[in-house]
Amino acid sequence: MKAITASEVTKKVIHNEELFILDVRNETDFNDWKIEGKNFEYLNVPYFDLLDGVEPILDKIPADKELLVVCVQKKVLLSWSQKCLKKQDEMLPTSQAG
């Protein structure tokens, strides 16, 4: 897992690159403000809806796109990013898992 900087996200916006954003803030905050890009896809699932695990949303997260997790607190962001990546790796056939 690699952290992405604000500068890198800005470049993706400018160059119309693809990015999948999992935003785990509450729906009100997501609707008030989000990182916008022409080729960005979004999934907003509040953190508290994922306390029992990320399995219910894994099929909604594309494995072939770069993933950015947006959260209010950095420690939560890192934890959920790691969980999503681990679960995605577990779901890939052995020859594709990293």
Side-chain angles (χ1 to χ4, degrees):
M1 178 178 60
K2 174 185 159 282
I4 186 169
T5 65
S7 177
E8 291 172 311
V9 173
T10 301
K11 287 178 185 176
K12 290 184 178 304
V13 171
I14 292 168
H15 297 293
N16 295 322
E17 295 178 24
E18 291 185 349
L19 183 65
F20 187 87
I21 299 175
L22 171 60
D23 193 318
V24 295
R25 298 175 300 148
N26 66 52
E27 187 176 348
T28 303
D29 290 339
F30 176 76
N31 289 330
D32 285 344
W33 176 88
K34 63 181 167 269
I35 302 168
E36 295 190 45
K38 184 176 181 178
N39 291 312
F40 289 5
E41 291 181 56
Y42 307 90
L43 176 60
N44 174 231
V45 181
Y47 167 79
F48 292 106
D49 291 351
L50 300 171
L51 289 177
D52 292 329
V54 295
E55 290 81 5
I57 64 164
L58 284 179
D59 62 332
K60 298 176 183 174
I61 300 173
D64 62 339
K65 292 191 179 172
E66 188 171 5
L67 171 66
L68 173 65
V69 179
V70 175
C71 183
V72 174
Q73 295 182 353
K74 184 176 180 179
K75 67 181 180 179
V76 174
L77 169 74
L78 292 173
S79 172
W80 285 104
S81 298
Q82 290 169 341
K83 286 181 184 180
C84 285
L85 290 173
K86 182 179 180 205
K87 291 296 180 182
Q88 279 187 324
D89 281 347
E90 289 172 1
M91 294 175 65
L92 287 175
T94 307
S95 62
Q96 293 181 7

